[in-house]
Amino acid sequence: MAAASEEAIKQFSALMELLEEPLKTTFQHVHQGYARGTLVRFLKAREWNVPKAHKMLMDCLNWRIQNGIDSVLAGQPVYAFGVGLSTLDKASVHYYVQSHIQMNEYRDRVVLPKASKKFGKQINTCLKVMDMTGLKLSALNQIKMLSTITAIDDLNYPEKTETYFIVNAPYVFSACWKVVKPLLQERTKKKIKVLYGSGRDELLKVMDYETLPNFCKREGSGSSNDSSDGVDCYSYDHPFHQELYNYIKQQALNEDFIGPIKQGSMHVDVPTPDLEEAKIVETIESELHKFRGANGLSHSFNRIKIEGP
């Protein structure tokens, strides 16, 4: 398998050496000096099939050019935080898509290169801790918006997340997860870990206490608002958000804009979800329909114990 993998990387590299501008420049924005690691990610996403991986990457590069993704960190920042505590059911899809792409680009162009330099090796993936505290049925009604973001990630930022840790999950999430899990590819299922309560003890096996999000620093379930846990990671005052905001402002100053930038004006072409994802969306919508008719169920759910992913 190792020999076959090396041959696939070699073939893929040869194809990418044929790139001309502007594809060549946008590819540099994608790989950030680690072209081999980028090719491996796309190969993994397409089961090491070189023609399919090449098409996927070319589609990604063209999508970036057509939608001005290389300049997304030089615009006016838009923020969207959390899952359960978000205003997903009230927000414009364009605000969420822009915010999500900005976060992806900042991660790939700033955070991961900085980590790679610090530790002296390539680091091109991350861990995600997703807080479901306060998750409402109304937010899950916007499953198509979530599907849009997922499609963007799957097709343009493949294999960037090593593990998704789900914490403080209420009953509505647990119920949907049980029916969705069998529909996922085995590779995807292995990435998703649904933890009991705040997940503190499990997360401490893979990160230091200082690295834990504030909503994971208390035992049991529920987000912690204890000031002793440091700045709330949902707050604009959190160091990460301040760094991101200042970075984007600085990038904007370096750009020559003809006119003022309208906040939230970035509209991107949304990739069409594949058949697998469409089936998942249909299944979740079916489950949500059951909840709506179940004894006048409220929009919030008490947490229950979740036994593993």
Side-chain angles (χ1 to χ4, degrees):
M1 177 61 185
S5 299
E6 285 300 322
E7 181 59 27
I9 296 170
K10 183 179 179 180
Q11 292 178 18
F12 202 174
S13 297
L15 291 172
M16 298 310 294
E17 288 176 1
L18 302 176
L19 285 181
E20 297 181 355
E21 297 295 350
L23 292 169
K24 187 174 181 179
T25 295
T26 200
F27 181 49
Q28 291 171 347
H29 280 124
V30 171
H31 68 64
Q32 293 293 311
Y34 294 99
R36 177 187 171 89
T38 299
L39 299 184
V40 169
R41 287 194 296 107
F42 280 81
L43 283 166
K44 284 183 177 179
R46 288 297 178 264
E47 306 295 338
W48 294 90
N49 183 302
V50 175
K52 290 183 178 179
H54 179 249
K55 181 182 184 305
M56 182 185 189
L57 181 50
M58 294 302 296
D59 288 344
C60 168
L61 298 182
N62 283 305
W63 173 80
R64 293 178 66 87
I65 292 170
Q66 292 164 8
N67 293 282
I69 302 300
D70 289 343
S71 300
V72 72
L73 292 181
Q76 195 165 7
V78 179
Y79 292 97
F81 305 124
V83 179
L85 296 177
S86 75
T87 54
L88 187 63
D89 52 334
K90 301 180 178 65
S92 159
V93 63
H94 298 297
Y95 276 99
Y96 267 88
V97 169
Q98 178 174 345
S99 173
H100 187 75
I101 292 175
Q102 283 180 332
M103 288 290 189
N104 282 352
E105 293 294 315
Y106 187 72
R107 173 198 64 199
D108 294 349
R109 295 197 225 170
V110 179
V111 177
L112 293 179
K114 186 183 296 185
S116 298
K117 183 177 180 180
K118 178 179 179 180
F119 294 102
K121 63 179 181 179
Q122 183 188 11
I123 298 176
N124 65 357
T125 60
C126 65
L127 305 178
K128 290 185 179 179
V129 182
M130 306 180 73
D131 180 23
M132 297 291 171
T133 298
L135 184 66
K136 296 180 179 180
L137 188 59
S138 57
L140 285 179
N141 284 341
Q142 300 297 324
I143 191 63
K144 285 187 172 64
M145 186 186 294
L146 296 174
S147 176
T148 293
I149 290 174
T150 301
I152 288 173
D153 282 354
D154 288 347
L155 297 176
N156 299 288
Y157 304 93
E159 302 296 323
K160 294 299 293 189
T161 302
E162 191 75 26
T163 309
Y164 295 88
F165 293 103
I166 311 296
V167 302
N168 300 319
Y171 174 74
V172 65
F173 175 86
S174 175
C176 288
W177 174 240
K178 287 179 180 178
V179 296
V180 168
K181 184 179 178 181
L183 302 177
L184 300 176
Q185 293 182 6
E186 194 61 34
R187 186 178 75 250
T188 302
K189 283 191 282 190
K190 289 180 179 179
K191 289 184 177 183
I192 302 174
K193 308 293 183 185
V194 184
L195 306 182
Y196 172 64
S198 68
R200 188 185 72 168
D201 293 342
E202 287 298 314
L203 291 173
L204 285 175
K205 296 177 181 178
V206 296
M207 64 183 72
D208 297 331
Y209 181 82
E210 292 72 20
T211 309
L212 285 177
N214 74 299
F215 53 77
C216 294
K217 289 186 176 180
R218 61 181 290 182
E219 295 184 23
S221 58
S223 294
S224 172
N225 294 317
D226 189 343
S227 59
S228 65
D229 289 337
V231 181
D232 187 339
C233 62
Y234 295 144
S235 168
Y236 289 107
D237 295 326
H238 191 279
F240 174 81
H241 299 144
Q242 289 295 310
E243 290 171 11
L244 172 59
Y245 181 81
N246 290 330
Y247 180 87
I248 293 177
K249 283 202 303 183
Q250 186 59 47
Q251 294 301 304
L253 293 175
N254 296 336
E255 294 283 340
D256 295 325
F257 292 111
I258 298 176
I261 302 173
K262 179 182 176 183
Q263 186 178 22
S265 62
M266 177 186 175
H267 292 194
V268 303
D269 296 329
V270 178
T272 302
D274 58 25
L275 293 178
E276 178 191 27
E277 186 161 329
K279 178 63 176 177
I280 291 173
V281 170
E282 180 182 335
T283 301
I284 293 177
E285 289 179 335
S286 176
E287 287 300 304
L288 293 177
H289 181 73
K290 295 177 183 178
F291 280 123
R292 294 190 192 99
N295 301 320
L297 205 58
S298 67
H299 282 195
S300 296
F301 297 83
N302 295 324
R303 294 180 185 83
I304 62 170
K305 182 174 181 179
I306 298 175
E307 299 178 354

